[in-house]
Amino acid sequence: MSAEEKVEYMTTEPIPRLVSQMAVPTIISMLVTSFYNMVDTMFVGRLNTQSTAAVGVVFSVMAMIQAMGFFFGHGSGNYISRKLGSQEFEDAKKMAATGFFSAFFVGVVFGVVGIIFLRPLSLMLGSTKTILPYTMSYLRIILAGTPFMMSSLVINNQLRFQGCASSAMYGIIIGAVLNIILDPLLIFVCDMGVAGAALATVISQIVSFSILLWISMHGGNFRISFKNFTPTWYYLYGIFQGGVPSLCRQGLGSIATICLNTAAGNFGGAYADAAIAAMGIVSRVSMFANSALIGFGQGFQPVCGTNYGAGKYGRVKEAFSFCVKVAFCVLVVISAAGFLGAETVVHIFREDVDVVRIGKLALRLQCIVFPLNAWIVMSNMMLQTIGESLKASILAAARQGLFFLPLIFLLPQFFGLLGVQMCQTVSDICTMTLSVPISLSVLKRLKS
């Protein structure tokens, strides 16, 4: 399908059908991306509590790597979708190359610096002395694969914003299947322990990167070429404008995880390692469930961006309303299942009585307010895609930054470990209160 045909399709196809076609591949891609971390936790959980906790500690670094990947991917992708709608194709090609190569170079720097300061970084992330050797072993390998992990997210998102979510999905799925195969092989057969889990993840990500790069060079996609790499202020600001909300959302999530691990260790008392392991498990389960919602929102984004660029604001509003309604209904069902099966879910990852006890309550508390994220996430996606960078950034920073970070310091002081477990719940309620007036003001402007 040519670029002109893509524009015609995105601006005329009925909204429910169009969003569904865009969303199904992105939901699968996001679930699979999240599954990388889930699989590691499941297999490492068969080793010991310290290894499980180490994976939870390193989760914050992987979240930061994803944050940078989404920063460049969403920043360039949002720009590309708007230019696709206004049929400025040469401009879109330059942005595709600039977003990709910028992410790869930043990934190299991130990985090298992280390896040089490996021990202090591991301690800063919230690792205790008993967890430290496992954390360093896992983190060292993850950092080595950073350039490929970042840039594969960029290609995936650029393809998605061009309306090629199905093609992007294949590279992610193949990598996930490979990860599932390599995890038990490297962890148990090769007796590499937690390092084997990290190596399996990096190898899988490199394979995904190679497949996605090949896909981007074929078909009607904007091909990534170094001759189009244009790191001027104009394009870098375009990435910044569209990518900052994602960086706030994912980056603050990484900082929030560090603070969560630290609080769990400080207020876990004699069960510090178990508390860190439990909250790490709950974070990954919540991220896995939330990734489906984000995937649905990412299916909405190319529809939103292309129609906004084409001046079809009524279709933008229609798509937003459709996505909020569908997401809310689905999240109610997921939340009910998670609340009732919380003990079973945590037990899958670690058969430790204390880990299950702590994780069960934390997961149930999060499930109570999880449906609120339907409005929060869709609002954030809409604001980011139409170029409302400041409002999108404020909303993106709210859930795990503006509200979560003060709460993770205050609540444990009054409620101890319970304050750690309930922190995300209170933060979600506050974020919903903030998001409603912000989003309604923009919807009102679109109507006028």
Side-chain angles (χ1 to χ4, degrees):
M1 186 183 294
S2 66
E4 292 82 359
E5 291 172 331
K6 287 180 182 178
V7 175
E8 176 70 18
Y9 176 73
M10 297 286 278
T11 55
T12 58
E13 188 76 3
I15 289 296
R17 184 189 308 165
L18 179 61
V19 171
S20 300
Q21 289 174 345
M22 294 293 107
V24 170
T26 56
I27 291 172
I28 295 173
S29 296
M30 284 301 298
L31 287 173
V32 167
T33 300
S34 179
F35 198 63
Y36 278 117
N37 298 326
M38 294 276 287
V39 168
D40 282 355
T41 305
M42 290 172 66
F43 284 112
V44 169
R46 300 293 180 267
L47 295 172
N48 51 57
T49 298
Q50 286 71 34
S51 293
T52 306
V55 174
V57 169
V58 178
F59 176 66
S60 58
V61 173
M62 297 186 71
M64 182 57 73
I65 293 171
Q66 288 184 354
M68 294 303 299
F70 283 131
F71 170 75
F72 289 105
H74 287 174
S76 59
N78 280 310
Y79 183 95
I80 288 169
S81 70
R82 293 195 298 270
K83 294 302 178 181
L84 187 64
S86 58
Q87 302 193 37
E88 299 176 56
F89 303 133
E90 288 302 317
D91 210 12
K93 289 180 182 178
K94 290 182 179 180
M95 178 57 86
T98 304
F100 171 80
F101 287 108
S102 297
F104 193 88
F105 296 148
V106 169
V108 171
V109 174
F110 189 98
V112 170
V113 172
I115 291 174
I116 291 173
F117 297 100
L118 185 63
R119 182 182 178 85
L121 176 60
S122 299
L123 291 170
M124 185 187 72
L125 295 173
S127 182
T128 63
K129 291 183 179 179
T130 53
I131 298 172
L132 184 61
Y134 302 93
T135 301
M136 293 178 63
S137 179
Y138 188 83
L139 181 57
R140 182 183 292 107
I141 297 172
I142 292 296
L143 288 170
T146 299
F148 303 99
M149 296 168 74
M150 276 191 192
S151 48
S152 65
L153 285 170
V154 175
I155 305 174
N156 181 39
N157 281 284
Q158 288 184 355
L159 289 171
R160 178 173 60 80
F161 276 102
Q162 295 175 58
C164 299
S166 296
S167 299
M169 177 183 68
Y170 297 131
I172 301 295
I173 290 178
I174 292 172
V177 172
L178 181 61
N179 192 30
I180 295 171
I181 295 172
L182 290 177
D183 255 330
L185 181 64
L186 296 177
I187 294 172
F188 303 113
V189 178
C190 297
D191 198 26
M192 294 181 66
V194 71
L199 185 59
T201 297
V202 170
I203 292 174
S204 302
Q205 291 280 4
I206 292 174
V207 170
S208 290
F209 165 84
S210 303
I211 294 172
L212 289 169
L213 185 60
W214 185 88
I215 292 173
S216 71
M217 299 298 183
H218 297 78
N221 304 310
F222 296 127
R223 300 188 179 188
I224 295 173
S225 171
F226 192 75
K227 68 178 182 180
N228 290 325
F229 179 44
T230 315
T232 61
W233 169 249
Y234 174 78
Y235 290 103
L236 293 177
Y237 179 73
I239 293 174
F240 179 84
Q241 185 180 37
V244 162
S246 295
L247 185 62
C248 290
R249 183 170 54 245
Q250 297 290 129
L252 285 172
S254 177
I255 296 172
T257 301
I258 296 172
C259 295
L260 183 68
N261 289 331
T262 303
N266 291 339
F267 292 91
Y271 307 103
D273 287 358
I276 294 174
M279 297 311 298
I281 290 170
V282 172
S283 295
R284 287 168 183 270
V285 171
S286 299
M287 180 182 175
F288 183 73
N290 204 45
S291 65
L293 173 61
I294 293 175
F296 188 56
Q298 289 180 348
F300 158 70
Q301 280 186 302
V303 178
C304 176
T306 305
N307 282 279
Y308 187 82
K312 296 182 178 291
Y313 306 126
R315 284 174 62 83
V316 174
K317 287 185 61 182
E318 182 186 351
F320 174 79
S321 177
F322 170 77
C323 289
V324 169
K325 292 174 183 176
V326 172
F328 182 80
C329 294
V330 173
L331 290 183
V332 168
V333 176
I334 293 176
S335 298
F339 186 90
L340 296 174
E343 182 173 351
T344 302
V345 171
V346 178
H347 194 269
I348 291 173
F349 294 91
R350 183 65 188 159
E351 297 177 3
D352 183 299
V353 175
D354 296 316
V355 172
V356 173
R357 173 179 55 84
I358 297 169
K360 177 178 67 175
L361 178 58
L363 182 57
R364 283 179 171 169
L365 289 171
Q366 291 193 26
C367 285
I368 293 173
V369 298
F370 195 48
L372 299 180
N373 283 297
W375 178 275
I376 295 170
V377 170
M378 295 305 161
S379 296
N380 194 203
M381 296 287 187
M382 177 186 67
L383 295 171
Q384 180 179 4
T385 305
I386 67 176
E388 292 280 357
S389 182
L390 178 59
K391 293 179 180 179
S393 298
I394 292 172
L395 192 54
R399 185 172 183 262
Q400 292 191 301
L402 298 179
F403 295 120
F404 184 91
L405 294 180
L407 288 170
I408 196 62
F409 288 107
L410 290 175
L411 292 179
Q413 300 295 332
F414 296 98
F415 303 102
L417 184 57
L418 176 61
V420 178
Q421 294 167 303
M422 66 188 291
C423 185
Q424 191 63 69
T425 302
V426 179
S427 178
D428 285 353
I429 294 172
C430 295
T431 304
M432 181 65 180
T433 304
L434 175 67
S435 68
V436 171
I438 291 178
S439 303
L440 288 180
S441 66
V442 174
L443 291 169
K444 184 178 180 180
R445 180 174 60 81
L446 286 176
K447 184 178 180 180
S448 64

